[in-house]
C-alpha cells in the first residue's frame, strides 16, 4: 500500500506537533536556552508550512502553497539562527529575512493558482542552502575562549551527530533542486526519488532525530552549567578556591610522586579597597577580571590559576622552579601596566609571594610559605615579589 502525499503530510504534522510540545516542555522550559528556543520556532514553522500544503490542489492553493514554502524556508532559517547562537555568534538578519522573501516572491510570480510547484526552484535551493549553513555552523562548534575559561565545554558528540544529519538533509535538498531543474516536477526521476512523498518521509525522520539530538545537547549543556557553577568563580572565570585545591592536590601528588618540582604563587592586588571606594565596585570587578585574563594569557595551559578569595589569586606552576615563576609574575605585572583601564583609573599594583613545590612538602605547606612571603611583600612596601625557601621567606 502506497501512502498518498496528503496522508504523509498529516502524519508529518502530528509528529511535528508532538515534538514541539515535548521539546518545549522538556527542554526549553527547563533550560531557557536560545538555541532551544530557535528549534521550537523551527518546529512550529515546519508544522504551519505543512498545514498550508494540505490545501494544495484546492482553490486556496494560490496563497497556501506560497505560504507553505515561505514558512518552511523560514523554519530552515530558524535552524540556522539557532546554530549561530549555539556558537555564540550573531546571525545575519538580512539573510534571515531575505531567504523567505525571495521564496514568497518567486512563488507569487510563478502562477501559483495553476502551478502546484510555483517557485519550486528557489524554494528547494534555499532549503538546501539554509540547512547546509546550519550544518556548517554545527560542524564548526568549538568551545569559545570564554567557554574554555568559564565552562570547560568539550566538543559534544550530539553536536557532531546533528551536523551530520543536517548535512545529509542539505545534500538531499541539493539533489532535489538539481533534479527539479533538470527534469521538472513531473519527471519520473524527480517523482520517484525526490517528490513530496519521499521529502515528507525524510523530513519526518530528520525532525525526530534532530529533536532527540537537541534534547541530548540541552541536557549536556545544563550539566556543564551546573559543573561550571560548582567549580568556577563567577566573576573571573578562574577556578574557585575549592576546585583549585582539588586539582592542585591531585596534580601535586601525581607529579611529586616522580620527584618533579614546581612553584606556587599567591598574588594580591594592592590597595584594592581604595579602588572600590574611589572608582566604584564595577571598576574593582574590572580590575579582578583583567588580572585573571592577563594570567590566563601568560601561564601555560598545564598551569592552574584560581581566585583564592577577594582580591587574592593563586597559581600553581608544575615543573617550574621559583626563578622561572619570578619571571612569569614579572611578565604579568608588566602586562598589567600596559593595560587600559576605564575612567582613567590607574591599575592597582600587585604583590606576590612565591614558594617552591617539592617532594619534601605538601600543598598546604607550600601555600603557607607563599602566604608568609606575600605578607612580607605587602609589609615591605607592596608591588614586589618575595621568594620563600623551605624555611621562611627571603627577598628575591
Amino acid at each position: 500500500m502506497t501512502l498518498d502525499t496528503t496522508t504523509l503530510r498529516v502524519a508529518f504534522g502530528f509528529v511535528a506537533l508532538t515534538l514541539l510540545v515535548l521539546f518545549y516542555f522538556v527542554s526549553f522550559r527547563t533550560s531557557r536556552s536560545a538555541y532551544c528556543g530557535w528549534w521550537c520556532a523551527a518546529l512550529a514553522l515546519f508544522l504551519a508550512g505543512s498545514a498550508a500544503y494540505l490545501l494544495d490542489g484546492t482553490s486556496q492553493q494560490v496563497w497556501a502553497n506560497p505560504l507553505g514554502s515561505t514558512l518552511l524556508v523560514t523554519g530552515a532559517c530558524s535552524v540556522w539562527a539557532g546554530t549561530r547562537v549555539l556558537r555564540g555568534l550573531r546571525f545575519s538578519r538580512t539573510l534571515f529575512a531575505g531567504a523567505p522573501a525571495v521564496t514568497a516572491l518567486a512563488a507569487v510570480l510563478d502562477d501559483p493558482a495553476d502551478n502546484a510547484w510555483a517557485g519550486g526552484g528557489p524554494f528547494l535551493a534555499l532549503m538546501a542552502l539554509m540547512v547546509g549553513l546550519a550544518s556548517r555552523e554545527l560542524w564548526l562548534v568549538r568551545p569559545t575562549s570564554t567557554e574554555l575559561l568559564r565552562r570547560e565545554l568539550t566538543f559534544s558528540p550530539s553536536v557532531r551527530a546533528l551536523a551530520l544529519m543536517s548535512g545529509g538533509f542539505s545534500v538531499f535538498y541539493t539533489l532535489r533542486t538539481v533534479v527539479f531543474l533538470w527534469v521538472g516536477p513531473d519527471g519520473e526521476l524527480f517523482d520517484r526519488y525526490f517528490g513530496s512523498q519521499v521529502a515528507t518521509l525524510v523530513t519526518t525522520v530528520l525532525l525526530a532525530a534532530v529533536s532527540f539530538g537537541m534534547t541530548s545537547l540541552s541536557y549536556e549543556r545544563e550539566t556543564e552549567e551546573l559543573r561550571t557553577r560548582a567549580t568556577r568563580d563567577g566573576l573571573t572565570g578562574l577556578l574557585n578556591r575549592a576546585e583549585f585545591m582539588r586539582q592542585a592536590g591531585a596534580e601535586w601528588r601525581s607529579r611529586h610522586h616522580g620527584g618533579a618540582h614546581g612553584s606556587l604563587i599567591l598574588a594580591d592586588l594592592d590597595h584594592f579597597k581604595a579602588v572600590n571606594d574611589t572608582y566604584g565596585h564595577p571598576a574593582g570587578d574590572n580590575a579582578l577580571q583583567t588580572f585573571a585574563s592577563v594570567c590566563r594569557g601568560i601561564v601555560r595551559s598545564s598551569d592552574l590559576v584560581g581566585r583564592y578569595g577577594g582580591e587574592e589569586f593563586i597559581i600553581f606552576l608544575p615543573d617550574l622552579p621559583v626563578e622561572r615563576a619570578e619571571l612569569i609574575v614579572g611578565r604579568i605585572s608588566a602586562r598589567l601596566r600596559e593595560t587600559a583601564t576605564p575612567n582613567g583609573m590607574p591599575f592597582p599594583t600587585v604583590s606576590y609571594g612565591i614558594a617552591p613545590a617539592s617532594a619534601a612538602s605538601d600543598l598546604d605547606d607550600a601555600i603557607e610559605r607563599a602566604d608568609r612571603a606575600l605578607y612580607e611583600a605587602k609589609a615591605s612596601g607592596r608591588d614586589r615579589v618575595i621568594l620563600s625557601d623551605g624555611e621562611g621567606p627571603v627577598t628575591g
Side-chain angles (χ1 to χ4, degrees):
M1 181 181 67
T2 302
L3 295 177
D4 61 89
T5 302
T6 299
T7 301
L8 287 173
R9 284 173 174 165
V10 170
F12 171 83
F14 276 113
V15 170
L17 178 60
T18 302
L19 291 173
L20 174 60
V21 172
L22 290 176
F23 193 81
Y24 176 80
F25 286 102
V26 173
S27 296
F28 179 70
R29 286 286 296 273
T30 57
S31 68
R32 295 293 181 180
S33 61
Y35 61 89
C36 283
W38 280 111
W39 182 244
C40 285
L43 287 172
L45 288 164
F46 290 148
L47 173 61
S50 180
Y53 277 152
L54 293 176
L55 297 176
D56 181 34
T58 71
S59 60
Q60 305 302 314
Q61 85 170 29
V62 64
W63 61 265
N65 283 4
L67 177 62
S69 297
T70 302
L71 290 173
L72 290 181
V73 170
T74 307
C77 289
S78 298
V79 174
W80 168 68
T83 60
R84 293 284 292 180
V85 169
L86 187 61
R87 291 187 62 204
L89 302 174
R90 295 182 179 181
F91 61 90
S92 169
R93 296 181 183 274
T94 300
L95 180 57
F96 187 93
V102 169
T103 303
L105 182 62
V108 169
L109 296 179
D110 197 18
D111 191 20
D114 298 317
N115 181 9
W117 276 95
F123 160 68
L124 295 175
L126 286 169
M127 285 291 291
L129 172 65
M130 299 313 301
V131 178
L133 289 175
S135 176
R136 176 182 178 275
E137 296 294 339
L138 287 168
W139 195 259
L140 293 176
V141 167
R142 294 293 187 278
T144 64
S145 58
T146 299
E147 289 176 324
L148 280 170
L149 299 170
R150 301 178 66 89
R151 300 188 180 184
E152 293 185 322
L153 292 177
T154 56
F155 183 53
S156 167
S158 297
V159 176
R160 174 152 290 179
L162 290 173
L164 291 173
M165 286 186 289
S166 55
F169 188 74
S170 177
V171 169
F172 174 75
Y173 260 86
T174 299
L175 293 175
R176 284 192 85 194
T177 305
V178 172
V179 176
F180 178 86
L181 296 176
W182 179 26
V183 303
D186 297 324
E188 181 180 356
L189 178 62
F190 182 84
D191 183 63
R192 175 173 295 183
Y193 298 106
F194 301 102
S196 297
Q197 293 180 350
V198 176
T200 302
L201 285 173
V202 170
T203 306
T204 301
V205 172
L206 179 76
L207 284 186
V210 171
S211 293
F212 176 80
M214 290 291 287
T215 301
S216 299
L217 179 60
S218 178
Y219 173 76
E220 290 170 7
R221 285 294 170 104
E222 286 182 43
T223 302
E224 289 288 352
E225 184 64 29
L226 291 174
R227 181 173 178 270
T228 297
R229 293 177 183 178
T231 62
R232 292 279 169 176
D233 173 60
L235 178 64
T236 64
L238 298 177
L239 296 173
N240 60 30
R241 180 168 179 164
E243 183 63 13
F244 177 91
M245 296 298 289
R246 187 189 71 79
Q247 292 192 25
E251 187 79 7
W252 192 286
R253 291 188 296 272
S254 173
R255 291 183 178 270
H256 289 182
H257 181 72
H261 294 263
S263 300
L264 190 117
I265 304 168
L266 281 177
D268 189 272
L269 276 60
D270 297 326
H271 301 297
F272 186 72
K273 183 176 185 301
V275 173
N276 284 331
D277 293 342
T278 304
Y279 298 97
H281 286 280
D285 290 346
N286 178 265
L288 295 173
Q289 292 169 331
T290 300
F291 181 82
S293 177
V294 169
C295 285
R296 287 189 296 250
I298 291 179
V299 302
R300 303 166 302 176
S301 60
S302 58
D303 299 329
L304 298 176
V305 185
R307 187 179 180 190
Y308 202 57
E311 65 273 20
E312 194 169 5
F313 296 84
I314 187 167
I315 305 171
F316 178 41
L317 307 174
D319 303 325
L320 289 186
V322 292
E323 293 78 14
R324 290 284 303 279
E326 186 177 14
L327 293 176
I328 287 175
V329 298
R331 290 174 57 197
I332 292 173
S333 290
R335 183 78 60 82
L336 291 173
R337 286 192 291 269
E338 300 169 356
T339 302
T341 55
N343 304 321
M345 178 193 78
F347 199 92
T349 57
V350 185
S351 298
Y352 302 91
I354 304 177
S358 67
S361 63
D362 59 21
L363 178 61
D364 291 333
D365 179 58
I367 292 175
E368 182 179 351
R369 286 184 285 110
D371 188 56
R372 292 202 306 267
L374 175 61
Y375 179 83
E376 181 173 327
K378 304 286 279 189
S380 57
R382 295 182 170 85
D383 189 20
R384 62 192 62 207
V385 182
I386 297 294
L387 305 184
S388 169
D389 61 14
E391 301 299 329
V394 296
T395 303

